[in-house]
Amino acid sequence: MTGIGNTKVNLILDADIRSFFDMVGQDWLVRFVEHRVGHRRIIRLTQKWLNTGILEDEAVAISERGTGQGWVISPLLANIYLHYASDLWANRWIQREATGDMIVVVYAGDIVVGFEREADARRFLDMMRVRLEEFALTPRSASRLEPEKTRLIEFGRRAAVGREKRGASRPETLNFLGFTMICGKPRRGKFLLWRKFRRDRLQAKLLAVKHELRPRMHQPIPRQGEWLRGVVSGWFADHAVPTIARSLQTFRDGVVRLWLRSLRRRGQRDKTTWERMKRLADDFLPKARVLHPLSNTSPLNTRGGSRMRGKPFVRFCAGARGNARHYRD
């Protein structure tokens, strides 16, 4: 997402593919894997994954569509599918159709596209609908973009400057991969993309910690602390990106409050104080700090002698623990 601050992008198309993991065409997916790999054992193993089925009410249901959301192999297969169904087409569209700067970020069914000109955004959205429907192998209405989750907003460095000159409020926020993106300014006054946790995701995680602490209420404190250390460390490993230190501290404080509440419920005479909780938190929980600094490299540029050379095209694929990484097509 660093391309938002490095390019002339001032409009963002925030799109979401409806029931993406359930609507992937398996026949198309096998053909894509054959084209990408071409090894008989890999093809046969992929087909076995797709024919595994899902256990529902003590019965195995096998579908002719989808990759099974929650499967270990699903993110990999989904990204192979999107590479051929969306990425290559988007790269070609940038080179041949775009009249201004563009940046494309894709992660599973979530698509964020940045534009310099509104006309490009309108044409891209209409053509992307047609493109996705061609590869869904389902009725045209089944794979269309979610209308409630698809919107075109002013967002980015130039959008913030333009709205400030017009006397309007700062641009709307953008939700992507569990983060809320905010157009802000650091102390030096230049544009900076701020991040914070999505409120619903943060509340859901703290609620899950609360429910899990309940059966662990009477465990020894060191045992509870070791478990909470793993929870907080895992959350930080996935979300500790730049400009989000305050949200990391909010999550850590929320875990400490839940831990204190759980300890106080162990008995009516419990006298656990905040001072003791601070010491326990310092002993067991990691500090809130950024673990994934910004890359010094700029977004990937399209190659070749195209007249649109230099327009960034970023492709994200699933890595360990759900982290995103980019690669050059």
Side-chain angles (χ1 to χ4, degrees), residues 20-34 43 46-54 61-69 71 74 77 80-81 135-138:
F20 171 70
F21 286 96
D22 298 329
M23 292 301 169
V24 168
Q26 294 184 0
D27 293 339
W28 276 110
L29 180 58
V30 173
R31 291 173 61 183
F32 295 154
V33 175
E34 289 177 344
I43 304 304
T46 302
Q47 292 173 335
K48 287 183 178 181
W49 272 104
L50 296 176
N51 295 328
T52 299
I54 301 175
I62 300 178
S63 175
E64 297 180 355
R65 298 193 304 267
T67 61
Q69 191 168 2
W71 293 357
S74 290
L77 296 178
I80 292 175
Y81 187 87
F135 285 90
L137 301 181
T138 56

Side-chain angles (χ1 to χ4, degrees), residues 29 205 261:
L29 180 58
K205 183 62 178 180
R261 189 178 305 174

Side-chain angles (χ1 to χ4, degrees), residues 217-228:
M217 182 185 304
H218 297 287
Q219 291 180 354
I221 290 180
R223 189 173 178 182
Q224 293 182 7
E226 291 295 333
W227 175 75
L228 288 173

Side-chain angles (χ1 to χ4, degrees), residues 2-3 6 295-301 312 314 326 328:
T2 56
N6 298 333
S295 173
N296 294 327
T297 58
S298 59
L300 304 182
N301 294 331
V314 182
H326 63 267
R328 187 185 302 276

Side-chain angles (χ1 to χ4, degrees), residues 11-296:
L11 290 169
I12 293 293
L13 173 62
D14 183 15
D16 182 67
I17 302 176
R18 173 178 297 177
S19 302
F20 171 70
F21 286 96
D22 298 329
M23 292 301 169
V24 168
Q26 294 184 0
D27 293 339
W28 276 110
L29 180 58
V30 173
R31 291 173 61 183
F32 295 154
V33 175
E34 289 177 344
H35 183 271
R36 188 77 173 184
V37 181
H39 196 287
R40 293 183 179 180
R41 292 185 178 180
I42 300 298
I43 304 304
R44 185 168 64 251
L45 183 60
T46 302
Q47 292 173 335
K48 287 183 178 181
W49 272 104
L50 296 176
N51 295 328
T52 299
I54 301 175
L55 183 63
E56 295 181 353
D57 299 330
E58 299 182 356
V60 178
I62 300 178
S63 175
E64 297 180 355
R65 298 193 304 267
T67 61
Q69 191 168 2
W71 293 357
V72 177
I73 198 67
S74 290
L76 176 61
L77 296 178
N79 279 283
I80 292 175
Y81 187 87
L82 276 177
H83 173 74
Y84 289 98
S86 175
D87 295 348
L88 298 181
W89 168 82
N91 195 11
R92 187 173 62 252
W93 200 95
I94 292 174
Q95 297 176 5
R96 299 180 180 179
E97 302 289 339
T99 59
D101 277 6
M102 281 184 58
I103 181 171
V104 181
V105 183
V106 182
Y107 189 90
D110 295 327
I111 302 174
V112 172
V113 189
F115 301 90
E116 180 184 359
R117 295 182 172 87
E118 184 176 357
D120 287 345
R122 303 294 181 186
R123 289 189 296 114
F124 183 87
L125 177 58
D126 294 338
M127 298 179 69
M128 183 172 63
R129 293 180 187 272
V130 177
R131 175 71 178 186
L132 294 178
E133 290 166 357
E134 290 176 353
F135 285 90
L137 301 181
T138 56
R140 294 178 63 85
S141 61
S143 66
R144 68 177 183 270
L145 299 174
E146 285 278 14
E148 308 87 13
K149 300 180 181 181
T150 301
R151 57 181 184 147
L152 183 65
I153 62 173
E154 284 187 291
F155 193 88
R157 173 173 54 87
R158 300 185 69 189
V161 173
R163 292 178 67 89
E164 185 177 359
K165 290 181 179 179
R166 299 196 305 265
S169 59
R170 62 182 178 183
E172 298 181 54
T173 58
L174 172 67
N175 292 328
F176 187 64
L177 297 183
F179 298 103
T180 297
M181 312 290 183
I182 305 171
C183 293
K185 288 183 179 181
R187 294 180 178 178
R188 296 181 180 180
K190 296 182 180 180
F191 174 81
L192 182 64
L193 187 65
W194 293 96
R195 299 172 179 86
K196 67 177 184 179
F197 296 140
R198 285 180 52 176
R199 183 183 297 273
D200 55 343
R201 300 285 180 88
L202 179 61
Q203 291 178 347
K205 183 62 178 180
L206 291 176
L207 184 62
V209 173
K210 175 183 177 181
H211 291 331
E212 186 62 27
L213 273 174
R214 191 165 299 169
R216 300 173 181 267
M217 182 185 304
H218 297 287
Q219 291 180 354
I221 290 180
R223 189 173 178 182
Q224 293 182 7
E226 291 295 333
W227 175 75
L228 288 173
R229 177 187 297 168
V231 172
V232 176
S233 298
W235 184 265
F236 285 1
D238 289 344
H239 300 88
V241 296
T243 70
I244 204 171
R246 185 177 298 178
S247 292
L248 294 175
Q249 187 63 45
T250 299
F251 174 74
R252 187 178 186 273
D253 293 342
V255 171
V256 173
R257 285 194 296 269
L258 292 175
W259 194 7
L260 172 61
R261 189 178 305 174
S262 177
L263 293 178
R264 285 179 174 177
R265 290 182 177 179
R266 291 163 64 139
Q268 295 181 353
R269 297 183 179 180
D270 186 271
K271 297 182 180 179
T272 304
T273 62
W274 270 110
E275 288 71 17
R276 186 190 180 194
M277 285 307 305
K278 291 179 180 179
R279 292 195 299 268
L280 290 176
D282 292 338
D283 291 339
F284 290 100
L285 303 184
K287 299 291 184 180
R289 60 188 182 90
V290 174
L291 301 178
H292 308 291
L294 286 175
S295 173
N296 294 327

